[in-house]
C-alpha cells in the first residue's frame, strides 16, 4: 500500500514538472496558445513514455533487429556503435542527448512534447515543393506533348486553394531533415500514407538517439504495409545527398518528387547547407526528361544526317589523334567575351578555337575565325540563326560538330562537319542497338544542355586535353549585359534587342569565377553542373577559366595576366594542317550503310502496342485515392517493360503527364476533389496516346520545320 502511495506521489511530481515546462514552452510557441487544453492532455500522456533503463535497452535491441531485416547496413553500423560527441542522458525516464563538450542537452524540453508541438505546426503549414512546367510558352511547333499537358494543367483550380496537411491522409512524397529522437517519424507514419519517405540525418550520433526513443519496427512495418518506400541516408552528405535522392527517386518514379512535403526537425550548420542544396537543385528533378515530339525529331534528324552522309566521331578518336598537347579556347557568348577578345586575337595562332553557338556572331564582328564551331539545339531555327551570325563565306574552312539530332540544314551549311550520339535519346537508343554502332561509336553523357558542354565533351573526345573557357560566363551580373554586346543580342548602338530574359523569380545566384556574384537561369545552372561533372570525371582533362562569370568547379580560375605569361612561352603551329588531320583521323564516313538498317528498325507496330496498353490501364475503375496511385505506378511498369527507342520515345511525356496528374490528385481543396479532377485529366492523356502512333509514322522520316517568333524578332531587330 505504501508503495502505491509513493508511486502516485512520484507521478504527481512528474505532472507538476511538465506543467512548468509547458508554460515555458508556450512562450516559444505563442501561435499555439489556443491549444492549451490539447497540450495539457499531451503532457498528461508523457508519463506513459517514462521508461526504466532496462526498457530503453530492450527498445534498442528491438530496433536493431528491425533494421537487420529492413536495412542490414544500418544494423551492422550501429551494432557495436559507441558515441563520442553525445552522451545519452536518461533523466526520470526521458531520453536526451547531451553534447559532451558543451554540456548542453540537444532537446531543451522533453523530446516528445517538443516534437508534438512541432508536428502540430507542420500540419497547418504549406511546406510543399512542386515542379513547375512552363505554362506560358506558346506552342509554336504544334507539339502534341504540349497540347496534352496544357489540357491537363487547365484543370487546375483558377484560384490558389488553401492548403494544409491537417485534413489529408495521402502525401505523394516527403523529405525529413533530421531524425534525433525521432518521435515525428512515428507521428508521420500514423497520420499519412506516403508513396516515398526520404529521411536525412547527417549526424550519426543523433540517429543513434532514436534507437532508444521510438519504435522503428512499428514505423518500418506500418509504412511497408501501406506500400510506401523509405530511403534513409545517415552521416555526412552535404556534397552527395542530392545526387543520392536523384538516384533513389528514379527507382520509384521521378514524378513522385513533383509534389513533395518537407519536414525540418532541427537546424544545424550542416543541416542548413543540406536544405539550401536541396532548394537550389530541386529543379533538376524535373529537367532533362525529353518528350515525345522531341524524340521523333531526334530520330528524323539522325536519319536525315545519316542519309546526307554526315561523318560520325569514332569512339576511340582521342587515342588516334595527335593533338593532346595543343590548347583549346572554348569561346562562349557571355558578356566577359568583350574583355577577352584581345587575348583571343593575340594568341589565336597558338591555340585551337571552338566557337559556341551565338559566339560565332561576336567572333565574326571582331574578325576572328574559329577552327571549329558547335551547335546543340535540334530545331530548324538554329539554321536560320546561323544565317544571322555571319555571311556564308565566313563559314568556309570552319568544321561544325554537333549532336546527331541537330537539324540536317545546320550541317548542310558547312563543308566539313561531323556528329556525335547524345546519351538518353531515342535516336541514340536506335543507333546503339546496331552491331556496327556498338563497335565504332559511343554515346556522350555530358554533351548538353548548352553548346559549351558540347564543345568540351566533343573536344575532349577528339583528343584535346587542355581547355580555356573564354566568355563561358553561364550567368551575368545583376543589371549588367547578359551576352557579348557585339553579338546578335545587341544592336550596333549596343541596345538590348530583348531576345534573352530570365523568368522573374527563377534566377539562381552563384559565386563568380573571378569574384563577385552572378545570376543565371536554370538552363545555365544545369550547364554549369554538367561542365563540372565532366571535368571532375576525367583526371587527364585540364580546364582553365578566364571568364568573368559563374564559378565552374574543377576549372581553375585564371587572370588575363597569368594567361599571357603562360601563352607567351608557346610557339605557333600549323593549325589548318592539325585541324584537317584531327578531322580525318577522328571521324568515320558511314557511306550510307546504317541508314537503311535504322529505317527498318523504326518499330512502328511496337510503338502502337505500347500506346494501346497504356490506354487500357485507364479502363480499370479509379474510385479511390489508392486506385489513382496504382494507375500512375502501372503506367511506369508498362513502359519499363518496353525496350530501346520505343521506351525512350514515350518516357519523357509519360513522366510529364504523371507530374501534372499528380498535381491534380494531391493539390485539390480536398482529396475527393483532387481525385475527381485527376480522372478528367486521364482522358487528355488517352487522347494523346490515340494520335501518337500516327504522328510517329508520318514524321519519323521527315526533318522538322517550324516557324519561330524569336527568329522573326531577330530579323526585325536587324533591319
Amino acid at each position: 500500500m505504501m508503495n502505491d502511495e509513493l508511486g502516485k506521489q512520484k507521478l504527481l511530481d512528474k505532472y507538476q514538472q511538465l506543467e512548468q515546462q509547458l508554460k515555458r514552452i508556450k512562450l516559444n510557441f505563442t501561435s499555439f496558445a489556443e491549444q492549451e487544453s490539447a497540450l495539457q492532455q499531451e503532457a498528461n500522456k508523457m508519463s506513459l513514455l517514462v521508461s526504466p533503463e532496462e526498457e530503453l535497452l530492450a527498445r534498442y535491441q528491438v530496433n536493431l533487429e528491425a533494421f537487420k531485416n529492413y536495412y542490414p547496413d544500418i544494423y551492422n553500423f550501429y551494432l557495436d556503435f559507441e558515441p563520442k560527441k553525445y552522451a545519452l542522458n536518461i533523466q526520470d525516464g526521458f531520453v536526451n542527448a547531451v553534447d559532451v563538450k558543451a554540456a548542453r542537452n540537444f532537446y531543451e524540453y522533453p523530446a516528445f512534447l517538443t516534437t508534438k508541438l512541432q508536428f502540430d505546426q507542420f500540419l497547418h503549414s504549406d511546406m510543399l515543393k512542386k515542379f513547375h512546367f512552363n505554362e506560358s510558352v506558346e506552342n509554336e511547333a504544334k507539339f502534341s506533348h504540349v497540347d496534352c499537358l496544357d489540357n491537363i494543367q487547365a484543370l487546375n483550380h483558377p484560384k490558389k486553394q488553401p492548403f494544409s496537411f491537417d485534413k489529408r491522409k495521402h502525401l505523394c512524397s516527403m523529405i525529413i531533415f533530421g531524425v534525433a529522437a525521432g518521435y515525428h517519424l512515428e507521428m508521420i507514419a500514423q497520420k499519412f500514407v506516403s508513396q516515398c519517405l526520404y529521411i536525412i540525418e547527417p549526424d550519426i550520433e543523433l540517429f543513434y538517439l532514436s534507437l532508444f526513443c521510438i519504435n522503428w519496427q512499428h514505423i518500418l512495418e506500418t509504412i511497408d504495409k501501406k506500400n510506401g518506400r523509405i530511403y534513409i541516408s545517415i552521416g555526412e552528405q552535404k556534397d552527395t545527398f542530392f545526387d543520392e535522392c536523384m538516384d533513389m527517386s528514379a527507382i520509384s518514379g521521378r514524378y513522385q518528387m513533383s509534389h513533395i512535403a518537407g519536414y525540418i526537425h532541427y537546424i544545424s550548420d550542416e543541416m542548413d547547407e543540406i536544405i539550401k542544396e536541396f532548394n537550389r537543385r530541386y529543379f533538376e528533378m524535373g529537367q532533362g526528361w525529353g518528350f515525345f515530339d522531341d524524340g521523333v525529331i531526334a530520330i528524323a534528324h539522325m536519319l536525315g544526317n545519316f542519309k546526307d552522309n554526315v561523318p560520325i566521331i569514332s569512339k576511340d578518336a582521342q587515342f588516334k589523334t595527335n593533338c593532346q598537347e595543343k590548347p583549346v579556347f572554348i569561346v562562349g557568348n557571355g558578356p566577359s567575351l568583350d574583355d577577352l577578345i584581345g587575348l583571343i586575337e593575340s594568341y589565336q595562332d597558338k591555340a585551337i578555337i571552338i566557337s559556341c553557338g551565338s559566339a560565332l556572331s561576336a567572333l565574326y564582328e571582331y574578325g576572328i575565325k574559329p577552327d571549329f564551331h558547335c551547335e546543340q539545339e535540334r530545331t530548324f531555327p538554329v539554321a536560320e540563326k546561323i544565317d544571322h551570325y555571319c555571311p556564308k563565306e565566313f563559314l568556309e574552312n570552319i568544321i561544325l560538330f554537333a549532336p546527331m539530332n541537330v537539324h540536317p540544314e545546320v550541317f548542310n551549311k558547312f563543308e566539313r562537319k561531323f556528329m556525335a550520339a547524345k546519351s538518353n535519346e531515342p535516336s541514340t537508343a536506335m543507333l546503339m542497338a546496331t552491331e556496327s554502332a556498338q563497335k565504332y561509336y559511343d554515346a556522350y553523357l555530358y554533351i548538353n544542355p548548352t553548346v559549351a558542354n558540347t564543345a568540351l565533351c566533343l573536344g575532349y573526345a577528339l583528343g584535346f586535353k587542355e581547355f580555356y573557357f573564354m566568355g563561358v560566363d553561364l550567368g551575368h551580373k545583376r543589371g549588367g549585359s547578359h551576352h557579348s554586346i557585339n553579338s546578335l543580342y545587341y544592336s550596333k548602338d549596343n541596345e538590348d534587342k530583348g531576345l534573352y530574359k530570365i523568368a522573374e523569380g527563377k534566377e539562381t545566384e552563384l559565386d563568380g569565377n573571378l569574384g563577385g556574384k552572378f545570376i543565371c537561369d536554370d538552363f545555365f545552372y544545369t550547364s554549369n553542373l554538367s561542365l563540372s561533372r565532366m571535368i571532375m570525371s576525367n583526371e587527364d582533362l585540364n580546364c582553365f577559366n578566364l571568364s568573368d562569370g559563374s564559378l565552374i568547379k574543377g576549372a581553375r580560375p585564371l587572370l588575363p595576366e597569368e594567361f599571357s605569361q603562360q601563352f607567351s612561352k608557346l610557339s605557333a603551329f600549323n593549325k589548318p594542317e592539325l585541324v584537317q588531320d584531327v578531322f580525318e583521323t577522328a571521324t568515320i564516313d558511314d557511306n550510307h550503310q546504317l541508314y537503311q538498317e535504322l529505317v527498318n528498325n523504326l518499330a512502328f507496330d511496337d510503338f502502337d502496342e505500347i500506346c494501346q496498353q497504356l490506354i487500357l490501364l485507364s479502363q480499370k475503375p479509379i474510385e479511390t485515392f489508392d486506385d489513382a496511385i496504382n494507375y500512375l505506378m502501372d503506367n511506369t511498369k508498362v513502359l519499363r517493360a518496353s525496350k530501346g527507342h520505343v521506351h525512350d520515345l514515350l518516357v519523357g511525356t509519360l513522366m510529364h503527364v504523371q507530374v501534372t496528374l499528380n498535381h491534380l490528385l494531391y493539390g485539390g481543396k480536398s482529396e475527393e476533389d483532387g481525385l475527381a479532377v485527376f480522372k478528367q485529366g486521364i482522358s487528355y492523356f488517352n487522347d494523346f496516346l490515340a494520335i501518337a502512333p500516327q504522328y510517329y509514322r508520318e514524321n519519323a522520316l521527315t526533318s522538322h520545320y517550324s516557324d519561330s517568333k524569336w527568329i522573326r524578332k531577330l530579323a526585325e531587330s536587324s533591319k
Side-chain angles (χ1 to χ4, degrees):
M1 193 72 173
M2 191 68 161
N3 287 337
D4 287 344
E5 291 298 323
L6 286 172
K8 289 180 181 178
Q9 185 59 48
K10 199 171 183 180
L11 195 59
L12 286 172
D13 290 342
K14 287 190 181 297
Y15 283 161
Q16 290 172 359
Q17 291 173 16
L18 285 167
E19 285 173 352
Q20 292 301 314
Q21 289 173 339
L22 274 169
K23 291 177 182 178
R24 286 150 53 196
I25 290 173
K26 287 174 190 175
L27 295 176
N28 298 325
F29 293 89
T30 54
S31 61
F32 282 85
E34 70 279 2
Q35 296 186 12
E36 186 174 280
S37 174
L39 289 174
Q40 183 62 59
Q41 291 177 12
E42 292 300 329
N44 294 340
K45 293 177 185 176
M46 286 289 288
S47 61
L48 301 176
L49 295 174
V50 175
S51 304
E53 289 190 31
E54 298 78 23
E55 288 186 21
L56 296 175
L57 290 172
R59 187 175 300 143
Y60 168 76
Q61 294 296 334
V62 170
N63 283 332
L64 277 184
E65 285 301 311
F67 280 115
K68 185 177 182 179
N69 293 330
Y70 284 94
Y71 299 93
D73 289 345
I74 296 177
Y75 165 79
N76 290 326
F77 183 82
Y78 284 105
L79 183 60
D80 297 310
F81 182 77
E82 293 184 8
K84 297 177 181 178
K85 178 183 175 182
Y86 289 104
L88 292 183
N89 178 28
I90 304 172
Q91 185 176 4
D92 294 331
F94 296 107
V95 187
N96 210 326
V98 181
D99 188 315
V100 175
K101 286 186 178 180
R104 184 176 62 247
N105 282 334
F106 182 79
Y107 291 101
E108 185 178 357
Y109 307 110
F112 179 83
L113 186 54
T114 300
T115 304
K116 180 62 173 67
L117 289 167
Q118 183 188 72
F119 184 72
D120 287 345
Q121 200 170 30
F122 167 78
L123 291 179
H124 294 85
S125 72
D126 185 9
M127 295 286 287
L128 277 174
K129 290 192 81 67
K130 297 184 280 187
F131 295 164
H132 292 287
F133 299 132
N134 198 334
E135 302 175 40
S136 61
V137 175
E138 185 178 344
N139 188 12
E140 293 181 314
K142 310 300 181 188
F143 289 147
S144 56
H145 163 93
V146 176
D147 284 340
C148 176
L149 288 192
D150 284 349
N151 287 332
I152 298 175
Q153 288 174 333
L155 295 172
N156 277 308
H157 298 284
K159 295 181 180 179
K160 181 175 175 60
Q161 299 295 326
F163 187 96
S164 76
F165 298 100
D166 189 32
K167 304 297 182 184
R168 294 174 187 271
K169 173 184 176 184
H170 292 88
L171 296 178
C172 183
S173 296
M174 187 174 200
I175 184 165
I176 299 170
F177 297 99
V179 174
Y183 293 116
H184 52 300
L185 301 180
E186 289 187 334
M187 298 171 192
I188 288 166
Q190 290 297 324
K191 166 72 176 171
F192 298 113
V193 176
S194 179
Q195 295 178 58
C196 286
L197 203 60
Y198 298 84
I199 299 173
I200 313 294
E201 178 51 82
D203 193 319
I204 58 175
E205 296 199 15
L206 286 180
F207 189 89
Y208 182 66
L209 174 65
S210 73
L211 299 178
F212 294 87
C213 296
I214 60 175
N215 189 337
W216 270 107
Q217 182 175 357
H218 178 68
I219 292 170
L220 297 174
E221 288 179 352
T222 298
I223 294 175
D224 190 31
K225 288 177 182 177
K226 294 177 179 179
N227 296 317
R229 290 175 180 265
I230 306 180
Y231 300 103
I232 304 175
S233 191
I234 308 170
E236 186 177 345
Q237 53 199 288
K238 181 178 66 175
D239 298 324
T240 61
F241 106 94
F242 189 85
D243 290 327
E244 290 178 3
C245 279
M246 289 274 282
D247 293 341
M248 291 184 292
S249 69
I251 297 171
S252 300
R254 187 64 50 75
Y255 72 92
Q256 293 180 352
M257 293 295 288
S258 68
H259 200 276
I260 184 166
Y263 190 106
I264 301 173
H265 182 52
Y266 71 86
I267 287 291
S268 65
D269 290 343
E270 187 173 8
M271 188 67 79
D272 187 51
E273 285 299 314
I274 289 174
I275 294 168
K276 285 179 180 177
E277 181 75 355
F278 180 79
N279 289 330
R280 185 163 51 238
R281 294 186 58 187
Y282 175 71
F283 75 92
E284 290 181 56
M285 294 279 188
Q287 281 201 340
W289 296 350
F291 58 93
F292 168 67
D293 310 75
D294 204 41
V296 175
I297 290 172
I299 289 174
H301 290 179
M302 174 191 69
L303 293 174
N305 289 322
F306 270 114
K307 189 175 183 180
D308 290 345
N309 215 35
V310 177
I312 190 166
I313 188 171
S314 168
K315 70 188 299 182
D316 57 356
Q318 64 175 296
F319 306 112
K320 298 192 298 184
T321 56
N322 188 26
C323 61
Q324 289 82 0
E325 297 180 1
K326 301 304 179 185
V328 178
F329 297 167
I330 293 181
V331 182
N333 195 26
S336 71
L337 174 60
D338 300 313
D339 294 327
L340 294 169
I341 206 69
L343 291 178
I344 298 173
E345 186 174 22
S346 297
Y347 298 106
Q348 61 183 313
D349 60 339
K350 297 182 178 183
I352 299 297
I353 300 175
I354 302 177
S355 62
C356 301
S358 61
L360 186 62
S361 66
L363 290 178
Y364 168 69
E365 293 296 332
Y366 283 117
I368 298 173
K369 177 175 282 195
D371 304 293
F372 293 94
H373 176 65
C374 63
E375 291 289 351
Q376 172 29 252
E377 296 179 37
R378 68 195 65 189
T379 54
F380 175 68
V382 174
E384 296 179 291
K385 277 194 255 186
I386 291 176
D387 290 334
H388 286 275
Y389 291 165
C390 55
K392 183 178 180 181
E393 300 76 39
F394 187 73
L395 301 180
E396 293 177 4
N397 299 321
I398 299 176
I399 297 177
L400 171 74
F401 60 79
M404 64 185 183
N405 44 35
V406 165
H407 202 288
E409 288 297 330
V410 176
F411 284 102
N412 288 340
K413 293 186 179 297
F414 295 80
E415 262 183 51
R416 292 179 298 171
K417 60 262 185 168
F418 66 89
M419 59 184 180
K422 173 184 170 185
S423 292
N424 303 318
E425 287 278 359
S427 53
T428 300
M430 272 190 71
L431 176 66
M432 299 310 293
T434 65
E435 186 176 341
S436 58
Q438 293 174 21
K439 186 175 181 180
Y440 297 114
Y441 310 139
D442 207 349
Y444 297 93
L445 181 62
Y446 299 109
I447 202 170
N448 65 311
T450 71
V451 279
N453 301 101
T454 308
L456 181 62
C457 180
L458 296 187
Y460 177 72
L462 288 173
F464 296 104
K465 304 291 185 183
E466 188 173 299
F467 296 87
Y468 295 80
F469 295 135
M470 298 185 176
V472 183
D473 295 5
L474 302 177
H476 62 278
K477 294 176 182 177
R478 198 174 293 277
S481 57
H482 46 74
H483 287 82
S484 165
I485 58 172
N486 224 11
S487 68
L488 58 83
Y489 289 89
Y490 292 89
S491 70
K492 296 293 183 183
D493 299 324
N494 296 339
E495 291 185 5
D496 193 335
K497 294 179 181 179
L499 300 172
Y500 173 80
K501 293 183 183 300
I502 296 181
E504 188 176 345
K506 292 285 187 178
E507 68 269 14
T508 298
E509 186 175 77
L510 299 175
D511 290 333
N513 178 56
L514 302 177
K517 296 289 184 180
F518 289 77
I519 59 170
C520 67
D521 57 17
D522 291 348
F523 185 66
F524 281 136
Y525 183 53
T526 304
S527 174
N528 192 316
L529 293 173
S530 183
L531 286 171
S532 295
R533 289 167 185 156
M534 170 78 189
I535 296 167
M536 292 188 283
S537 297
N538 297 280
E539 292 182 359
D540 60 344
L541 175 57
N542 300 306
C543 292
F544 303 87
N545 191 359
L546 284 82
S547 312
D548 187 16
S550 300
L551 179 71
I552 300 171
K553 291 181 180 179
R556 177 189 158 193
L558 196 65
L559 293 170
E561 50 267 32
E562 295 177 282
F563 170 83
S564 295
Q565 291 173 6
Q566 188 172 327
F567 263 72
S568 61
K569 302 173 186 177
L570 300 181
S571 301
F573 60 93
N574 189 330
K575 289 209 298 180
E577 182 179 310
L578 176 70
V579 168
Q580 181 61 25
D581 181 64
V582 168
F583 175 70
E584 291 177 353
T585 306
T587 61
I588 297 173
D589 188 340
D590 174 69
N591 200 24
H592 297 103
Q593 292 182 19
L594 267 176
Y595 173 71
Q596 195 56 53
E597 181 181 354
L598 291 169
V599 170
N600 293 338
N601 292 340
L602 284 167
F604 292 131
D605 291 340
D606 291 344
F607 184 80
D608 293 358
E609 183 179 343
I610 290 296
C611 289
Q612 286 303 312
Q613 288 181 29
L614 291 172
I615 290 174
L616 285 174
L617 288 179
S618 64
Q619 307 305 311
K620 298 179 182 178
I622 300 177
E623 303 299 337
T624 67
F625 220 88
D626 286 340
D627 292 339
I629 292 169
N630 290 333
Y631 167 79
L632 293 173
M633 295 176 67
D634 288 344
N635 273 277
T636 299
K637 291 175 184 176
V638 166
L639 197 56
R640 280 181 178 168
S642 62
K643 297 179 180 178
H645 74 279
V646 170
H647 168 276
D648 291 355
L649 274 173
L650 275 176
V651 66
T653 289
L654 174 62
M655 289 198 297
H656 280 87
V657 167
Q658 287 173 319
V659 167
T660 51
L661 289 175
N662 237 16
H663 285 176
L664 297 179
L665 183 64
Y666 290 96
K669 58 186 177 183
S670 67
E671 293 193 347
E672 293 75 19
D673 177 68
L675 181 61
V677 185
F678 174 89
K679 292 162 68 174
Q680 295 178 45
I682 292 175
S683 64
Y684 290 115
F685 182 40
N686 285 342
D687 290 343
F688 162 82
L689 292 169
I691 65 171
Q694 187 62 28
Y695 180 94
Y696 179 35
R697 290 176 185 273
E698 292 176 353
N699 292 280
L701 290 167
T702 305
S703 297
H704 186 266
Y705 290 85
S706 65
D707 191 16
S708 170
K709 287 183 178 179
W710 197 95
I711 291 295
R712 292 201 302 272
K713 189 173 182 179
L714 174 61
E716 291 168 2
S717 66
S718 301
K719 292 179 181 178

